[in-house]
Amino acid sequence: MGITDDASRLATLHVDGTAYAVTRARRADVPALVALLADDELGREREHADPEPYLRAFARIDRSPDHLLVAVRSPQDEVVATVHLTMLPGLSRGATLRLQVEAVRVASAVRHLGLGTQLLEWVTGYARSHGAGMVQLTTDRSRAGARRVYERLGYVASHDGMKLHLG
């Protein structure tokens, strides 16, 4: 099934005269998704060439109904952006369902066209349509440009995030 089949699309984003297909990522997309993750200073340090851990992670993500790994495709079927969405049910805030947004990446060749902004606006609509009362994300402090985009879209740096690396 190609991306031109409307049934395979979650949405179409129109940016600068080009239609990009928002689709559920496929196993065959994993190398392109990892390349997007590695396409900056931070990613080059974190990602590696061994495909097996990524394929195992993809299989786990793909079989969970609470996860959606997105591949945004150009008209040439090239993966040019990604985002990983996770629905988080919880008891706090009146049992508010949250949508956790992770690994937002846009290929360097199409950055600054507005594709990331449109993708995040689609994410907000996805959250609402799936009953989420909150969208939350974290961003590395060194990603000043990403932070400006998030703030322009209404995200507020209301909490300090903390991590404990176990590996």
Side-chain angles (χ1 to χ4, degrees), residues 6-46:
D6 285 337
S8 68
R9 291 179 193 235
L10 300 169
T12 302
L13 305 176
H14 297 277
V15 180
D16 201 29
T18 302
Y20 296 90
V22 178
T23 67
R24 181 178 201 96
R26 303 179 297 234
R27 187 178 194 278
D29 296 330
V30 170
L33 298 173
V34 174
L36 284 173
L37 295 173
D39 187 24
D40 66 19
E41 307 80 44
L42 296 175
R44 278 189 287 281
E45 302 283 320
R46 295 189 272 208

Side-chain angles (χ1 to χ4, degrees), residues 74-133:
S74 72
Q76 296 76 34
D77 203 26
E78 179 182 7
V79 177
V80 295
T82 187
V83 64
H84 179 180
L85 307 177
T86 305
M87 288 296 186
L88 299 172
L91 298 179
S92 66
R93 295 182 180 252
T96 296
L97 179 63
R98 300 169 191 230
L99 179 68
Q100 178 72 29
V101 179
E102 293 287 335
V104 179
R105 297 292 192 285
V106 176
S108 55
V110 294
R111 279 187 203 139
H112 308 294
L113 296 178
L115 180 59
T117 296
Q118 284 214 17
L119 178 58
L120 288 165
E121 289 171 345
W122 175 81
V123 164
T124 301
Y126 178 89
R128 284 190 176 111
S129 71
H130 286 79

